[in-house]
Structure formats: C-alpha cells, structure tokens
C-alpha cells in the first residue's frame, strides 16, 4: 500500500505542477480544487455501486447453492427409496414370467393375424407372378414379388426380434416362401435378357428398357433400406442384398465383350482379308452402338448411372482386350499394317471416336491407347523383319521374271517415246510405292524406315542386276545366235538404268519431307554409280556386238577380194544402219555416239572422205592440214593410213605432211570431245592387198 500511495502522490504532484506552471494560474487554484473534488466524488460513487453489485451477486449465489444442496439431499433420499423398492420387487418380477410369455405369444399371434391374408394367398400370388413374368409384364410381376418378399421378410424379422436363436421357425417360414427366391431369379433372367439386347430394345420398345431400369432402382432402394436396418438389428433377409445394379453393369460389359469378339466371321484360311473385314465390322458396330447409346439409351437411365460414360469405357476396354489378342497372334506383314493402322489412326479418326455424332461426350484425348507402346514396338519390329524378307523375295522374283523376258523371240516393249524397256522398274517401284503408302498410313516414322529399307535393298538388288546383265552378255557371246533379240533387250537393260535413277529420285522426293530425312537414306551416288556401270557395260557390249558383226567385212577391205569387187562396204553400211535404228532407242544420257551425236560423227566421216576422194594431189597437204585442225587428237598413224589408202602420195609429200604434224598438234577447243585417240590403225601393206 505504501508503494501505491507514493505512486499516487507522485502522480498528483506531477499533475499539480502541470496546472501551475505560470503565476497567473494561481488565481485558478480554487477552481481547480472544486473540479478535482467533483471528479473524486464521481469516482467514489461508481466504486460504491460496483461493490454493492458484487455483494448482491454473492448473496444470490449463496442462496442458490443452499437450495441446490437441499435438492441434492431430496434426490439422494428418493434414489434410496427407489433402490429399496426395486430390491423388494425382484421377487415380484420373477413371478410375472408367465405374463411375459403371454405377451410374446400375443405379439406373435397379432403378427400372424396381420399377415394371415398374405400367408394364405402366397401360392396364388406365386402363380400370378409366374404368369406375369412369362407374359413379359415385368413391372406387375415385380410388384407382386415385392409383396411376397415383404410378407416373408416381415415374418422372419418378427421371429428374429423375438427369438433370434429359433432356427426351426426361421426355416419353416423360409420354406413356406421357398418359391419366392425362384421367382426372383426368373425375373432377373428376364431383366438380363432385355439388357443383353438393350441396343435393339431401345430402338423398338424403349418402355421395356425403362421398366427394367425402374425394377433395378426399386431393388437398389430395398437393398439400402435393409442394409441400414442391419446396422441397428443385425437382421438380413435371405437373398439380400441383390445388387442388381452392379449385376446390370456386369451383364452390359459381358454383352459388349461378346459383341466385339463375335464380329470375326472369317479366318485367314478362308479369306486373306479376314482381319480387314473384322476390323471394319468392329468399327461400324462400335460407332453405331455408341451413337444409339448417346441418343437413346441415356434417356432410359437415371443421370447418376452415367450410362454412356460407362458404356464408352466398356467398349474401349473390350476393344483394347481384342486388339491385344489379335496382336499376340502370328500376324503376317499386311495384317500387322491393318491392325496398327486401325489402332493408331482409324480408332481416333472421324470414322469412329472423333465422329461428330459422338461429340462432345467422347473426348479422344482422354482415351488410353488400345495397345501399349511396347506391343506397338514389337509389332513394328516384326513388320520390318517380315517386310525385309518379303522385299528381298519380291525383288529376286521380279529379276527372275525379267530374265525370262530377255530370251524371248520377240522384241521388248517400247515406251511412248519409242525407247525399249522391260517391266522390271515399274514392278519394283510399284512394290515400293505400295509398301510406302501403307507405312504412311501408320506413322511418318515408319514411312521413313520403310523408305530406307527399300533403298537399302535396292542397292543390293542393283548389284545382282549388274551381275545378271554381265552373265547375259557372256552367255550371248558363247552363242551369238541366241538369244534372238539380244541387242534389243540389252538396250532395254540400259534404258532401265536411267528409269531406275529417275524413279529413285522421284521416290525420295515424294516420301522424304526434308534434308534431315535425306541423310538417313543410302547415298544416291552409290546407286547411280552401279547403274552407270551397268549401262556402260551394256553400251560396250553393244559396240562389241557391232564390230563382231562387221569384223569379217572390215577385214575384206584393202584386200584383193575387195579390189576385184566386193559388197563388203554395202554390207557394212546396211549393218551399221540396222544397228543405228536399234541404238536410236537408247535413252539419254546413255545415247552417246548415237542419236543426237550422230551428225557430228557423220561430219568426221565426210572430212576423212574428202581426203580420200581428193583428185588433185597437190592440194593434199592443205586438205590434211584442215583435217588435223578439226581433230587435234588425230595421230600420224591415222594420216599414214589415209595416205596409204589413197596410194598416190609421193614420198616427199608424206614426209612434209608428217614433219608438219610433228611440230605440234593444234589447240583443241574446251568443248571438243576426243575421237581418234581410241581408234586403232591396223598395219596396211601390199601383201594384204594381194590376198
């Protein structure tokens, strides 16, 4: 308290000091005193009121506690009296056992009387229910079934409530209502039959499907009510819960699976297109079924059943299972393509799940893949392996077929421009095109892999083609009378090389999207080199063929026989002309020395002829100089042969011409193609002329 007093004095001093800081404030001391006195009186009044209120509350509380104590004493006394009375009445209660038994018996009799009418009418209701089920009046049949079950369950519940251990009476009741369970099973069969044909029923008689759903809903409500009562009493009637809603979805799922599996009408043995037909039937059935479910079935089911969503999941799962089964079979290459095309493309296309009639309920993006990536990868590996074997076999067969044409007695066909050709390039690239188009239906990645495979096998095939062309030439040289159209078919082989080159370029341009993909394919120069080598060997063989035919007649030139008169030149001309007509059917760029270059070679012949037929020997030097300037690769042995053919050049003239040539050849133009450097000059002498 002393500490409090000191704090109060200090506060007062501080407050007074604050009010009396100037001399003129001393005049207001009395005013300040009266104001503080009023404040003090107000505070004291409030304190007295608060203390009085607290005292009143304490007084009231004490009074209530006193009353409560008296009440507790009264209750205690009352409980003691009750306990005393209860102890005294135990014997009396025991003596009322007979009354209790009578009450139980009365309750049973009352329940029996209440259900007596139903009990006596059970056989009749059973017959009526059976007739209604057979007539297809399912709602009425179910109503009577519910009455039977209600009577049975009520009696069994009363028995259970009064004496749960009395199994004899329970068995008696269950036996009397024994037909009830059979009726329930029979009705369920009818419901399941309707559900199995629900997609047909909903079109013809939607009210029947609605009746089935209503019955299932009734049973679901009864199941829920009985399960709620079980929590309180522990009693469950026989056959409950029926769970018909759960069974309904099981039946629908089984029906969907059976419908998917039942679409396979053919086997590989009976129809090579069995899988294509099977998948197309599945597509049509699933699309039609889902459209019906979306537009009609949804109206027959309560919204919380989510019937379309559940059916969609059922179809998707059934399809996934079916595709897995198909993928596990030993499929051929074309069958793998059909399966993967359907799974990866058709299923999610507008022809099926992305169909406008299924939107917006079906979201393709939320559907799981029908086949796992692992299975797809295995199928693709199998396909590529099988395709590789098939392409090798196809190419081998195509080459064998083409080789049979080479020995025909008739000329090969010509294209629209008159160039000889065989069907080999068309067959090969048609096969490549078909496989690439098929692969493109599956994925861009597979298309690229197939293209690379085709080009790789093409590379190997061209090497075999080259060997076969060489063997063809060698076989002909052993017996030049066979085959009859060797020249024409060799020209066709040469032309095929150009066709192959053009087809390879076209194929890569069509199926490779960019330069990055270009890098994954075998190099074009490699195949071009093989093709050019085949063509070069073919052209060489053709030229060899010409000179083999002309050899005998060329040897007759500058001989006694020739001097005395011979038709060797005529034969040579006719032969060359005949070959020229054939060689004109060689395609660019392999038509070199023939076709557009013939005029140039004819000019060379004319220039040489001018030297030979010159009548004035004095102009011979000028004529030879002109020839040398035109053809700077001409050699002295060529000039010597020309002069020897003339036979009238003097020794001095020959010496002058030769010395002039030795001074150095003229400079050739950049566009000049050497001609004489490959021409070999046989030795000419008088002895040959005397033969």
């Amino acid at each position: 308290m002393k500490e409090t007093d000191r704090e109060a004095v200090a506060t007062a001093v501080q407050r007074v000091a604050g009010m009396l800081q100037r001399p003129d404030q001393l005049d207001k001391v009395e005013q300040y005193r009266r104001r503080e006195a009023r404040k003090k009186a107000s505070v004291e009044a409030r304190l007295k009121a608060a203390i009085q209120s607290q005292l009143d509350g304490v007084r009231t509380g004490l009074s209530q506690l006193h009353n409560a104590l008296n009440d507790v004493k009264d209750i205690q006394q009352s409980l003691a009296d009750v306990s005393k009375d209860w102890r005294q009445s135990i014997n009396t209660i025991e003596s009322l056992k007979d009354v209790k038994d009578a009450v139980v018996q009365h309750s049973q009799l009352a329940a029996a009387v209440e259900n007596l009418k139903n009990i006596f009418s059970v056989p009749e209701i059973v017959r009526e229910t059976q007739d209604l089920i057979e007539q297809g009046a399912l709602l009425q049949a179910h109503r009577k079934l519910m009455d039977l079950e209600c009577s049975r369950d009520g009696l069994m519940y009363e028995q259970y409530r009064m004496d749960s251990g009395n199994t004899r009476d329970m068995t008696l009741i269950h036996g009397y209502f024994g037909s009830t369970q059979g009726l329930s099973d029979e009705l369920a069969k009818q419901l399941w039959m309707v559900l199995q044909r629900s997609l047909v029923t909903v079109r013809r008689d939607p009210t029947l499907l609605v009746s089935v759903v209503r019955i299932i809903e009734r049973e679901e409500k009864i199941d829920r009510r009985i399960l709620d009562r079980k929590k309180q009493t522990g009693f469950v009637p026989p056959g409950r819960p029926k769970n018909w809603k759960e069974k309904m979805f099981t039946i629908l799922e089984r029906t969907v699976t059976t419908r998917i599996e039942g679409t396979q009408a053919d086997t590989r043995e009976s129809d090579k297109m069995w899988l294509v037909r099977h998948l197309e039937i599945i597509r049509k059935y699933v699309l039609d079924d889902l459209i019906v479910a979306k537009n009609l079935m949804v109206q027959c089911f309560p919204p919380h059943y989510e019937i379309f969503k559940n059916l969609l999941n059922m179809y998707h799962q059934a399809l996934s299972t079916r595709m897995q089964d198909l993928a596990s079979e030993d499929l051929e290459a074309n069958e793998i393509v059909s399966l993967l095309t359907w799974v990866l493309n058709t299923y999610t296309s507008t022809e099926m799940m992305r169909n406008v009639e299924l939107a917006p309920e079906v979201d393709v993006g939320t559907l799981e893949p029908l086949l796992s990536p692992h299975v797809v990868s295995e199928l693709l590996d199998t396909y590529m392996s099988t395709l590789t074997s098939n392409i090798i076999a196809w190419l081998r067969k195509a080459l064998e077929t083409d080789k049979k044409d080479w020995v025909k007695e008739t000329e090969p066909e010509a294209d629209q421009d008159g160039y000889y050709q065989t069907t080999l390039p068309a067959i090969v690239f048609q096969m490549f095109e078909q496989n690439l188009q098929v692969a493109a239906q599956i994925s861009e990645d597979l298309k690229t892999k197939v293209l690379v495979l085709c080009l790789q096998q093409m590379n190997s095939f061209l090497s075999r083609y080259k060997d076969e062309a060489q063997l063809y030439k060698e076989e002909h040289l052993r017996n030049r009378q066979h085959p009859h159209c060797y020249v024409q078919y060799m020209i066709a082989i040469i032309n095929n090389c150009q066709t192959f080159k053009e087809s390879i370029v076209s194929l890569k341009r069509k199926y490779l999207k960019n330069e990055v993909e270009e890098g994954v394919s075998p190099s074009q120069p490699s195949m071009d080199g093989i093709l050019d080598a085949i063509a070069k060997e073919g052209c060489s063989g053709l030229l060899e063929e010409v000179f083999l035919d002309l050899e005998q007649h060329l040897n007759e030139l500058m001989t006694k026989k020739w001097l005395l008169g011979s038709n060797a030149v005529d034969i040579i001309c006719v032969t060359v002309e005949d070959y020229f007509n054939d060689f004109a059917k060689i395609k660019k760029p392999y038509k070199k020395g023939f076709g557009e270059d013939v005029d140039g070679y004819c000019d060379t012949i004319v220039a040489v002829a001018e030297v030979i037929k010159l009548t004035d020997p004095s102009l011979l030097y000028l004529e030879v100089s002109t020839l040398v300037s035109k053809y700077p690769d001409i050699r002295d042995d060529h000039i010597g042969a020309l002069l020897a053919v003339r036979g009238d050049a003097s020794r001095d003239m020959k010496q002058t011409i030769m010395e002039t040539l030795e001074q150095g050849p003229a400079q050739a133009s950049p566009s000049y193609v050497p001609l004489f450097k490959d021409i070999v000059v046989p030795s000419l002498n008088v002895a040959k002329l005397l033969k």
Side-chain angles (χ1 to χ4, degrees):
M1 290 295 292
K2 292 181 179 180
E3 183 65 26
T4 303
D5 291 343
R6 282 198 296 273
E7 290 180 359
V9 170
T11 301
V13 170
Q14 185 177 2
R15 190 171 180 185
V16 170
M19 290 187 294
L20 301 175
Q21 292 182 356
R22 298 189 305 276
D24 59 324
Q25 291 178 328
L26 292 175
D27 295 338
K28 298 180 181 179
V29 169
E30 188 61 30
Q31 182 181 351
Y32 292 153
R33 182 181 292 109
R34 287 195 299 273
R35 186 175 64 187
E36 293 300 321
R38 285 195 300 272
K39 287 183 179 180
K40 180 180 179 183
S42 174
V43 171
E44 288 176 350
R46 288 200 300 272
L47 285 173
K48 287 179 182 180
I51 292 172
Q52 185 62 42
S53 175
Q54 291 292 332
L55 289 174
D56 292 342
V58 170
R59 187 179 295 109
T60 302
L62 289 173
S63 176
Q64 291 175 348
L65 287 174
H66 182 70
N67 293 335
L69 180 60
N70 292 332
D71 292 340
V72 168
K73 289 179 180 179
D74 292 341
I75 292 171
Q76 186 177 12
Q77 184 61 40
S78 298
L79 288 174
D81 294 341
V82 169
S83 179
K84 181 179 178 181
D85 293 340
W86 177 74
R87 287 189 181 92
Q88 291 176 353
S89 64
I90 289 178
N91 295 330
T92 305
I93 293 173
E94 290 294 330
S95 65
L96 294 176
K97 185 176 184 302
D98 294 338
V99 177
K100 177 183 178 183
D101 293 340
V103 170
V104 170
Q105 187 177 9
H106 180 271
S107 176
Q108 289 177 332
L109 291 172
V113 170
E114 184 179 350
N115 292 282
L116 191 60
K117 182 179 179 181
N118 290 335
I119 291 173
F120 284 137
S121 62
V122 165
E124 182 182 354
I125 296 175
V126 168
R127 287 193 299 271
E128 291 176 353
T129 306
Q130 184 67 47
D131 292 341
L132 289 170
I133 292 175
E134 292 176 357
Q135 295 168 11
L138 302 182
L139 279 175
Q140 295 90 326
H142 185 251
R143 175 59 65 186
K144 289 188 175 294
L145 177 63
M146 286 195 299
D147 292 340
L148 287 172
E149 290 179 339
C150 184
S151 298
R152 181 198 63 184
D153 298 347
L155 287 173
M156 295 185 77
Y157 175 68
E158 288 297 329
Q159 179 61 40
Y160 176 85
R161 187 170 61 85
M162 291 181 289
D163 186 4
S164 61
N166 189 347
T167 57
R168 185 180 64 82
D169 288 349
M170 282 288 194
T171 303
L172 180 64
I173 297 172
H174 189 271
Y176 186 75
F177 287 89
S179 300
T180 305
Q181 185 61 45
L183 289 173
S184 177
D185 294 340
E186 185 64 27
L187 179 62
K189 288 181 181 179
Q190 297 299 317
L191 300 183
W192 308 151
M193 288 175 62
V194 173
L195 287 170
Q196 287 170 356
R197 299 192 298 267
S198 57
L199 289 166
V200 177
T201 304
V202 77
R203 293 186 179 103
R204 299 177 179 175
D205 187 9
T207 56
L208 179 59
L209 183 59
V210 172
S211 298
V212 170
V213 176
R214 287 180 62 187
I215 292 171
I216 293 172
E217 273 291 274
R218 288 175 183 174
E219 291 294 338
E220 283 293 300
K221 291 179 181 178
I222 296 173
D223 279 350
R224 288 194 296 269
R225 186 170 66 249
I226 288 175
L227 290 176
D228 290 340
R229 188 171 66 179
K230 177 188 176 184
K231 296 177 182 178
Q232 300 173 357
T233 65
F235 173 74
V236 178
R240 292 289 179 180
K242 292 184 179 180
N243 294 322
W244 277 7
K245 180 181 177 182
E246 180 181 339
K247 291 179 182 178
M248 177 197 74
F249 281 113
T250 301
I251 293 295
L252 288 174
E253 185 174 7
R254 191 180 308 141
T255 302
V256 168
T257 300
T258 303
R259 185 162 175 78
I260 297 298
E261 293 176 350
T263 55
Q264 183 176 344
D266 302 301
T267 61
R268 183 182 297 121
E269 290 72 21
S270 62
D271 186 355
K272 291 295 183 182
M273 300 297 291
W274 69 275
L275 184 57
V276 174
R277 298 182 189 276
H278 181 37
L279 294 173
E280 176 57 21
I281 293 173
I282 289 177
R283 183 199 67 78
K284 187 177 184 305
Y285 280 12
V286 172
L287 179 60
D288 291 345
D289 290 355
L290 290 177
I291 291 175
V292 171
K294 175 179 177 288
N295 296 329
L296 300 178
M297 285 189 68
V298 169
Q299 303 173 18
C300 300
F301 289 80
H304 66 274
Y305 274 53
E306 296 185 313
I307 189 65
F308 181 76
K309 178 181 177 182
N310 282 293
L311 279 174
L312 176 63
N313 291 334
M314 290 176 193
Y315 274 98
H316 182 77
Q317 185 57 48
L319 286 172
S320 179
T321 302
R322 184 58 184 155
M323 296 305 115
Q324 294 280 356
D325 293 341
L326 291 172
S328 64
E329 296 186 15
D330 187 16
L331 298 177
E332 297 178 355
N334 63 313
E335 294 170 347
I336 292 175
V337 169
S338 299
L339 181 63
L340 289 179
T341 301
W342 198 93
V343 168
L344 300 178
N345 299 323
T346 303
Y347 183 62
T348 56
S349 70
T350 54
E351 297 180 1
M352 202 167 177
M353 289 304 184
R354 211 184 291 271
N355 191 282
V356 292
E357 294 192 56
L358 296 180
E361 282 78 1
V362 177
D363 182 3
V364 175
T366 62
L367 296 176
E368 293 292 327
L370 290 178
L371 291 176
S372 66
H374 175 69
V375 174
V376 172
S377 178
E378 286 185 340
L379 285 175
L380 289 175
D381 290 343
T382 303
Y383 172 71
M384 290 300 294
S385 176
T386 305
L387 182 62
T388 300
S389 301
N390 289 345
I391 288 178
I392 293 173
W394 289 332
L395 289 173
R396 184 179 294 113
K397 183 178 180 181
L399 183 54
E400 291 299 322
T401 302
D402 204 57
K403 284 168 58 182
K404 293 178 181 178
D405 292 341
W406 297 354
V407 295
K408 285 183 177 179
E409 296 295 320
T410 57
E411 293 184 354
E413 296 180 357
D415 62 12
Q416 65 273 16
D417 297 320
Y419 297 119
Y420 285 138
Q421 63 179 4
T422 68
T423 57
L424 182 62
I427 292 174
V428 169
F429 283 93
Q430 182 181 13
M431 177 191 66
F432 286 170
E433 280 276 355
Q434 290 174 350
N435 284 284
L436 285 165
Q437 289 173 4
V438 167
Q441 295 175 5
I442 299 177
S443 67
E444 287 293 319
D445 182 60
L446 181 63
K447 180 203 69 176
T448 303
K449 289 181 179 179
V450 171
L451 177 59
V452 171
L453 172 63
C454 291
L455 294 177
Q456 288 173 341
Q457 295 304 320
M458 185 67 190
N459 215 28
S460 303
F461 167 76
L462 291 178
S463 296
R464 294 196 299 273
Y465 191 50
K466 179 182 179 182
D467 295 340
E468 294 296 338
Q470 182 64 28
L471 288 174
Y472 181 57
K473 172 185 173 182
E474 293 172 359
E475 288 291 333
H476 172 70
L477 291 177
R478 293 190 186 99
N479 180 8
R480 297 188 62 241
Q481 301 303 315
H482 182 79
H484 179 70
C485 296
Y486 166 78
V487 172
Q488 290 80 4
Y489 277 100
M490 183 57 76
I491 291 174
I493 292 173
I494 294 169
N495 289 339
N496 285 348
C497 292
Q498 182 60 22
T499 304
F500 275 129
K501 291 173 71 172
E502 294 171 354
S503 299
I504 291 170
V505 172
S506 175
L507 199 70
K508 293 172 71 174
R509 184 183 300 116
K510 183 175 180 180
Y511 289 100
L512 288 180
K513 295 186 299 185
N514 48 49
E515 295 180 357
V516 175
E517 289 186 348
E518 180 79 23
V520 302
S521 63
S523 60
Q524 183 72 25
S526 174
M527 286 186 282
D528 285 353
I530 297 175
L531 290 167
D532 288 341
I534 296 172
K536 183 177 181 181
E537 287 291 328
C539 290
S540 175
L542 291 176
L543 291 176
E544 186 177 355
E545 189 74 4
V546 174
F547 286 107
L548 285 173
D549 280 352
L550 296 179
E551 183 177 13
Q552 175 185 352
H553 306 293
L554 289 173
N555 288 335
E556 285 186 15
L557 299 178
M558 306 302 172
T559 64
K560 183 177 181 181
K561 181 180 180 181
W562 177 66
L563 290 174
L564 295 176
S566 169
N567 60 351
V569 174
D570 295 332
I571 295 175
I572 291 172
C573 291
V574 171
T575 302
V576 170
E577 183 179 5
D578 184 49
Y579 274 110
F580 171 78
N581 291 330
D582 286 333
F583 293 166
K585 296 178 180 179
I586 298 178
K587 285 185 178 181
K588 297 178 181 179
Y590 303 126
K591 185 167 63 176
K592 186 168 60 175
F594 313 105
E596 70 275 11
D597 295 331
V598 167
D599 292 339
Y601 292 148
C602 289
D603 292 341
T604 303
I605 296 174
V606 171
V608 172
E610 290 295 331
V611 176
I612 296 175
K613 70 180 183 179
L614 186 66
T615 57
D616 186 358
S618 62
L619 300 176
L620 189 60
Y621 174 78
L622 179 61
E623 198 66 41
V624 170
S625 299
T626 303
L627 181 66
V628 172
S629 64
K630 277 184 165 183
Y631 306 99
D633 64 322
I634 198 168
R635 301 192 304 271
D636 55 355
D637 55 343
H638 296 138
I639 301 301
L642 284 174
L643 296 178
V645 169
R646 284 185 58 85
D648 60 351
S650 63
R651 183 182 299 274
D652 293 339
M653 177 65 72
K654 290 180 181 178
Q655 187 68 26
T656 302
I657 294 174
M658 291 301 181
E659 289 177 355
T660 304
L661 290 175
E662 289 175 358
Q663 292 177 0
Q667 293 294 324
S669 65
S671 61
Y672 176 72
V673 178
L675 175 63
F676 285 90
K677 69 182 184 65
D678 295 325
I679 298 178
V680 178
V681 179
S683 60
L684 295 175
N685 49 48
V686 177
K688 182 177 180 181
L689 295 174
L690 297 178
K691 287 182 181 180

